[in-house]
């Protein structure tokens, strides 16, 4: 047999007997992987005269791109908004544990905090590739403190800030550094927010609109200055009104610059958004929907008292409240649960549900050339799932990093 080593000595793995999510459809074909990337089999056969070194029978599983969570506050007892001595160990623990939820990349999210917390925590968040150690880190999501007092949700009011003269310098002084920052959520109705949005966008940082009382024209202006995302649509913003639909109106606005797409996060846990509201948003703007968990430290833990940044929260089933109130404070749902709930609530196709947690967040962050798809030459971060969309195995860079233990079943 001709050698397949003309290009690389690395082994070639062929995943067969599977349905691959590619070009928005489940296609019955094999997946070929080498050196952490997805191979084009035609090039392998005809240019290299190559073949597989290892063949894996996927037993008719679905193979989909790994999930990308762009809003996760912590989990398993770890709170990303707490400056602890073992912060790095905490972020490592969460990145390891979320592999079982199908998450292969994420943005650790900090809720509104005092400047001292940002100054201590942000230098400890390093962008890194995923692997057996855990999901990859794409950069931090800073949700606040430049948000509306009226729509603060679970954010501590005493830490909220407004933009003063020299607004961007004020933001820099608050955060200390933007080196590892991927997303900033702010309220666009704040004075001087336009210049901040432009400065952040110039630096390649995604600006998200949220925790806000903005009307539609303020939201549209923010998008015209570079904002591309809406933080947990419907939650912590003015409710839709037919005469001024507010931020929600961006989903069907005709004032979006040509060639620009506005994305919006949704916490599809059955609690934060009524299934009917989820259906309305999805039908209005299906290509912009990004599933997020908004998970807090209590995800994966027993009900009871936990933290979210500076606040104490209580978990009661899937509900999480600021202690002593009925104010929702993040979620304890996992990403795979959100995908299944989204598919069930909207009746959308399996492909659509999977892309809302993979392709769309990758497009939002401008990394769809390497993440969020199974296109040739992209990173081999993918999942094996059954027809009910339960994760059976998680792969990063073509290596198995988690598998469902079926020994006891």
């Amino acid at each position: 047999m001709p050698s397949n080593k003309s290009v690389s000595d690395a082994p070639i793995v062929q995943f067969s007997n599977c349905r691959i999510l590619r070009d928005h459809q489940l296609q019955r074909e094999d997946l070929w992987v080498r050196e952490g990337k997805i191979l084009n089999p035609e090039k392998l056969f005809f240019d290299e005269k190559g073949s597989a070194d290892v063949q894996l029978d996927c037993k008719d599983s679905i193979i989909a791109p790994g999930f990308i969570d762009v809003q996760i506050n912590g989990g398993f007892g770890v709170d990303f908004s707490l400056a602890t001595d073992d912060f790095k160990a905490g972020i490592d623990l969460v990145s390891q544990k979320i592999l079982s939820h199908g998450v292969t990349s994420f943005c650790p999210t900090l809720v509104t905090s005092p400047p001292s917390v940002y100054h201590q925590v942000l230098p400890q968040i390093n962008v890194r590739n995923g692997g057996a150690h855990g999901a990859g880190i794409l950069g931090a999501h800073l949700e606040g403190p430049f948000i509306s007092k009226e729509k603060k949700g679970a954010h501590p009011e005493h830490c909220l800030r407004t933009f003063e003269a020299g607004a961007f310098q004020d933001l820099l002084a608050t955060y200390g550094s933007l080196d590892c920052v991927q997303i900033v959520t702010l309220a666009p109705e704040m004075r001087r927010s336009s210049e901040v949005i432009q400065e952040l966008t110039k630096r390649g940082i995604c600006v998200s609109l949220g925790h806000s009382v903005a009307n539609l024209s303020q939201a549209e202006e923010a998008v015209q200055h570079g904002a591309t995302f809406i933080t947990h649509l419907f939650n912590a913003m003015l409710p839709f009104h037919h005469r001024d639909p507010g931020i929600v109106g961006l989903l069907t606005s005709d004032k979006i610059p040509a060639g620009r797409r506005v994305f919006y996060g949704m916490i599809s846990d059955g609690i934060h958004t009524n299934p009917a509201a989820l259906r309305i948003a999805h039908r209005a703007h299906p290509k912009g929907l990004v599933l997020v968990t908004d998970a807090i430290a209590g995800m994966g833990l027993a009900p009871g008292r936990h933290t979210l940044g500076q606040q104490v929260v209580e978990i009661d089933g899937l509900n999480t409240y600021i202690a002593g109130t009925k104010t929702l404070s993040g979620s304890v749902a996992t990403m795979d649960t959100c995908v299944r709930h989204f598919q069930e609530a909207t009746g959308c196709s399996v492909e659509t549900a999977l892309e809302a947690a993979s392709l769309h967040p990758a497009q939002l962050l401008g990394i769809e050339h390497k993440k969020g798809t199974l296109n040739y030459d992209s990173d081999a971060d993918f999942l094996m799932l059954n027809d009910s969309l339960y994760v059976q195995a998680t792969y990063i860079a073509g290596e198995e990093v988690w598998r469902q233990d079926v020994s006891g079943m």
Side-chain angles (χ1 to χ4, degrees):
M1 178 181 262
S3 167
N4 57 9
K5 305 302 183 189
S6 56
V7 171
S8 167
D9 287 337
I12 295 167
V13 183
Q14 176 187 4
F15 295 83
S16 59
N17 188 15
C18 52
R19 289 158 291 155
I20 300 174
L21 177 54
R22 187 177 279 152
D23 296 329
H24 317 298
Q25 290 182 327
L26 288 177
Q27 306 184 13
R28 191 162 279 289
E29 53 184 79
D30 294 355
L31 186 77
W32 300 73
V33 174
R34 176 172 60 196
E35 291 187 313
K37 299 286 183 189
I38 292 168
L39 278 183
N40 180 342
E42 284 195 9
K43 281 188 181 172
L44 176 66
F45 301 150
F46 297 115
D47 298 354
E48 298 184 39
K49 308 286 190 281
S51 59
D53 297 287
V54 181
Q55 288 180 312
L56 291 174
D57 181 352
C58 300
K59 301 185 171 66
D60 203 35
S61 296
I62 292 169
I63 292 192
F67 299 148
I68 299 170
D69 193 351
V70 300
Q71 187 175 8
I72 170 172
N73 310 289
F76 313 99
V78 176
D79 186 337
F80 297 147
S81 303
L82 287 183
T84 57
D85 292 339
D86 57 353
F87 182 85
K88 283 196 167 168
I91 210 164
D92 288 348
L93 175 73
V94 174
S95 67
Q96 171 74 72
K97 292 274 199 180
I98 58 179
L99 295 174
S100 66
H101 309 158
V103 177
T104 54
S105 302
F106 70 110
C107 293
T109 304
L110 277 72
V111 296
T112 294
S113 303
S116 59
V117 168
Y118 298 115
H119 294 186
Q120 288 175 68
V121 168
L122 288 180
Q124 299 187 72
I125 296 177
N126 299 310
V127 174
R128 68 182 187 205
N129 292 327
H133 59 274
I137 297 174
L138 299 170
H141 177 170
L142 305 181
E143 187 187 359
F146 302 97
I147 58 172
S148 156
K149 191 163 69 172
E150 291 84 359
K151 291 293 176 184
K152 67 183 188 298
H155 292 237
E157 190 171 325
H158 70 278
C159 295
L160 299 182
R161 298 173 75 96
T162 54
F163 293 122
E164 306 307 326
F168 188 68
Q169 291 310 312
D170 191 31
L171 176 140
L172 271 179
T174 301
Y175 295 146
S177 166
L178 293 172
D179 288 350
C180 69
V181 175
Q182 183 73 253
I183 304 173
V184 171
T185 293
L186 53 77
E189 70 276 13
M190 283 191 167
R191 287 177 60 221
R192 305 186 183 89
S193 67
S194 293
E195 60 186 89
V196 172
I197 292 169
Q198 288 171 307
E199 286 292 336
L200 288 169
T201 305
K202 221 186 280 180
R203 287 162 171 75
I205 293 170
C206 165
V207 175
S208 188
L209 311 179
H211 288 277
S212 162
V213 292
N215 59 34
L216 178 56
S217 66
Q218 289 168 324
E220 287 170 335
E221 189 184 337
V223 170
Q224 286 152 12
H225 285 116
T228 53
F229 194 38
I230 303 169
T231 296
H232 45 52
L233 186 78
F234 297 125
N235 295 112
M237 60 187 61
L238 290 178
F240 177 88
H241 189 282
H242 57 284
R243 276 195 286 278
D244 191 334
I247 290 177
V248 177
L250 288 175
L251 270 60
T252 57
S253 169
D254 56 1
K255 304 276 195 310
I256 308 299
R260 179 91 56 79
R261 185 186 304 176
V262 174
F263 292 89
Y264 58 97
M266 296 219 68
I267 309 167
S268 169
D269 61 356
I271 290 159
H272 278 77
T273 316
N274 184 284
L278 194 53
R279 287 192 286 274
I280 287 170
H282 176 246
R283 289 174 194 176
H285 184 27
K287 287 186 161 58
L289 194 149
V290 172
L291 292 177
V292 299
T293 60
D294 198 20
I296 63 168
M299 175 180 66
L301 301 182
R305 290 202 160 202
H306 302 283
T307 65
L308 176 60
Q310 311 299 303
Q311 312 263 48
V312 176
V313 298
E314 288 176 333
I315 297 176
D316 176 14
L318 276 180
N319 293 289
T320 59
Y321 303 113
I322 293 179
T325 76
K326 286 297 176 189
T327 299
L328 284 174
S329 56
S331 160
V332 289
T334 60
M335 183 57 94
D336 53 324
T337 303
C338 291
V339 170
R340 290 190 295 271
H341 176 73
F342 170 58
Q343 205 237 336
E344 190 182 329
T346 61
C348 72
S349 67
V350 163
E351 292 93 333
T352 296
L354 293 168
E355 287 187 343
S358 54
L359 175 63
H360 295 177
Q363 290 171 328
L364 165 71
L365 299 177
I367 57 172
E368 70 272 23
H369 58 289
K370 56 182 179 177
K371 306 276 187 198
T373 77
L374 298 177
N375 294 343
Y376 304 139
D377 298 323
S378 60
D379 295 350
D381 297 355
F382 58 89
L383 315 173
M384 284 186 196
L385 306 108
N386 64 18
D387 285 354
S388 302
L389 300 186
Y390 283 86
V391 180
Q392 298 170 317
T394 303
Y395 286 76
I396 293 182
E399 301 286 333
E400 184 181 293
V401 292
W402 180 83
R403 179 167 285 277
Q404 177 71 49
D405 179 15
V406 291
S407 57
M409 293 173 74

